[in-house]
Amino acid sequence: MQNNLKKVALIGQPNVGKSSLFNRLSNKRIAIVSDVAGTTRDIRKNEIQIIDRSALLLDTGGIDETNDEIFVNVKAQAIRTAKDADIILFLVDGKNIPDDKDKELFYELLRLGKELALVVNKIDNDKELERLWEFFEFGIGDENLFGISVSHNRGTKKLYEWIYDKLPENEETVKAQEEQKRIEALKEEFGEFYEDDDEDFSTDELEKIEDEESVLDDTSINVAIIGRVNVGKSSILNSLVGEKRSVVSSIAGTTIDPVDETYFYKDKKITFVDTAGLRRRGSIEGIEKFALMRTKEMLEKANMALVVLDASRELTDLDEKIAGLVDEYGLGTIIVLNKWDENMDTFQKLEEEIRRRFRFLAYAPIIAVSAKTGRSIDRLKDKIVDIFENYTQRISTSKLNKVIEEAVIRHALPSPNGARLRIYYSTQFSTRPPRVAVVMNKPQLLHYSYKRYLINFLREQFNFEGTPIHIVARGKNSNIDDEGYLEQE
């Protein structure tokens, strides 16, 4: 552990989430890496790394203003740690109104003259974010006030950026940035990119910050089987899991008794969610409303969807509305034509109609099956696994940049109103579905038609069958956030 690292101290009352933030910043579930003995309680410390910059993170005991000897010593130790630190993160509980004890501690820390951030934890949703304004009475500026939820990993990227900016630059990164500038200058000379408006560019990789603790399981697939009544969803489910169902477990639902069946196939745990028994007396409008409501509940839990259509009957507007929800939720998708044995001579005609009506699912393969005879059911199983792998894949930054550069060379960026656009670099910052950020000088001017071109070009180079691709145009200093900055394509 290096001795010249800048020290970041976590200070606050008990139960405000210091240890949880310690774990989050450490990217470890067990926070204690090495212990330094204290007077009454240990100071936990760990060397952390944010992108390419390192620091020594110090976690202190909760400060309680009681006369108990233990807490008196804990406070004294915490204040000593704060004095020795370069950066202080003062945590408070966002579930409560500003506390006088917190204010006293904050002002005491403020007098130390350190880099100080007020971190309001337990801001778990947008509604609770409104309470953040109450903490401006501490007298702190907006740039040093952070509303986060450690448990939900909300707002942490902005805090990471703040800490990152306070840490010394990594020499190797500086050299790499200078080399990148040199390469880009050569590219500009050869016309591969438009000139920027005399802006200095620094390769900021903060958008690569990801939720390290939210490691997604790549062996479990949740598949929603959706479609209007009587298209054969239950029959397809039975065919997929088999009649014996020896490795299947049934789980009762909370509403209208949906049927969940788990089936193990090719080292994958595939859970199918079916809307068995979607029948209801009443008007057509009532049935439609009911079907859409239940489908939304299923899609919230799923990462893949089988859109089941009846090949023996004409498509309806309800088919189109239900399919539209799949695109809205960004799921891996397969269009399944059931009862194909009853209408085997018109596949091309029906496929053309599906592509015309479901343009938003142009990326989804169409498979014709017969739940009655078992035709193409095994092919459907294989395709589910293949699409899920496409849905969860991550393209390396180097490969992605090479492809985007080639796309720009083939079809130059537009110049809206004479403005010269330039893409600095690209990176895939999340999966399920794949989301790609193109970092550029004027992101607000990148037209959706050019995003669509980039998406189609990516599909030509990589196997993204069955999965949507989202392109996000962003500036150098903006944050990538799944809630606030995504532009879905």
Side-chain angles (χ1 to χ4, degrees), residues 62-198:
I63 298 176
D64 191 314
E65 296 292 337
T66 67
N67 293 324
D68 187 287
E69 181 181 358
I70 293 178
F71 287 112
V72 170
N73 288 327
V74 166
K75 179 182 178 180
Q77 189 180 47
I79 297 300
R80 284 197 300 270
T81 302
K83 290 180 179 179
D84 189 45
D86 303 286
I87 301 169
I88 302 173
L89 305 183
F90 183 65
L91 270 72
V92 296
D93 188 343
K95 298 292 185 185
N96 301 321
I97 61 175
D99 186 286
D100 288 339
K101 294 179 181 178
D102 278 330
K103 292 178 185 177
E104 292 175 8
L105 287 171
F106 179 78
Y107 298 144
E108 185 173 354
L109 296 172
L110 190 62
R111 288 192 291 270
L112 298 177
K114 310 285 185 174
E115 295 286 358
L116 176 62
L118 177 59
V119 182
V120 184
N121 190 26
K122 305 180 184 179
I123 303 295
D124 297 333
N125 52 58
D126 290 338
K127 184 176 181 180
E128 293 181 351
L129 192 62
E130 298 175 0
R131 293 204 303 270
L132 193 62
W133 294 102
E134 298 175 354
F135 292 87
F136 278 103
E137 65 185 62
F138 280 70
I140 195 167
D142 181 63
E143 67 278 5
N144 291 73
L145 177 65
F146 302 91
I148 72 169
S149 171
V150 179
S151 61
H152 292 79
N153 198 33
R154 287 177 56 95
T156 54
K157 291 185 179 68
K158 183 181 176 182
L159 179 61
Y160 292 166
E161 290 175 348
W162 184 86
I163 300 172
Y164 180 87
D165 289 340
K166 301 296 183 290
L167 301 178
E169 291 184 322
N170 182 289
E171 293 182 2
E172 294 181 0
T173 299
V174 172
K175 292 179 181 178
Q177 289 175 353
E178 292 175 349
E179 177 65 15
Q180 182 65 25
K181 289 180 182 179
R182 186 186 69 81
I183 293 173
E184 287 184 353
L186 292 175
K187 288 181 178 180
E188 287 184 6
E189 182 177 350
F190 288 99
E192 293 189 26
F193 293 101
Y194 287 114
E195 295 180 359
D196 196 10
D197 298 337
D198 297 325

Side-chain angles (χ1 to χ4, degrees), residues 215-323:
V215 178
L216 299 174
D217 184 0
D218 61 359
T219 62
S220 297
I221 310 175
N222 294 329
V223 183
I225 304 178
I226 70 172
R228 57 189 171 95
V229 294
N230 298 324
V231 294
K233 299 186 301 298
S234 296
S235 297
I236 287 178
L237 173 61
N238 291 337
S239 297
L240 285 168
V241 302
E243 293 182 357
K244 293 183 180 179
R245 303 188 181 185
S246 57
V247 293
V248 170
S249 61
S250 297
I251 305 171
T254 57
T255 62
I256 69 169
D257 297 326
V259 178
D260 291 13
E261 302 287 354
T262 298
Y263 177 82
F264 296 91
Y265 184 74
K266 288 189 174 181
D267 299 324
K268 302 291 185 184
K269 178 184 176 183
I270 305 175
T271 300
F272 297 101
V273 185
D274 174 38
T275 51
L278 272 184
R279 296 173 180 269
R280 198 183 205 190
R281 295 179 181 273
S283 64
I284 297 298
E285 290 78 7
I287 295 175
E288 177 176 331
K289 180 179 180 181
F290 180 73
L292 290 175
M293 178 186 67
R294 182 62 191 100
T295 298
K296 288 182 178 180
E297 293 176 3
M298 295 166 54
L299 296 180
E300 288 177 354
K301 299 189 297 181
N303 43 45
M304 279 195 63
L306 303 183
V307 179
V308 182
L309 305 174
D310 188 340
S312 67
R313 299 161 61 184
E314 292 185 1
L315 297 178
T316 68
D317 290 341
L318 182 55
D319 288 318
E320 192 171 343
K321 288 181 179 179
I322 292 176

Side-chain angles (χ1 to χ4, degrees), residues 115 396 409 437 452:
E115 295 286 358
S396 70
I409 292 172
R452 179 61 60 187

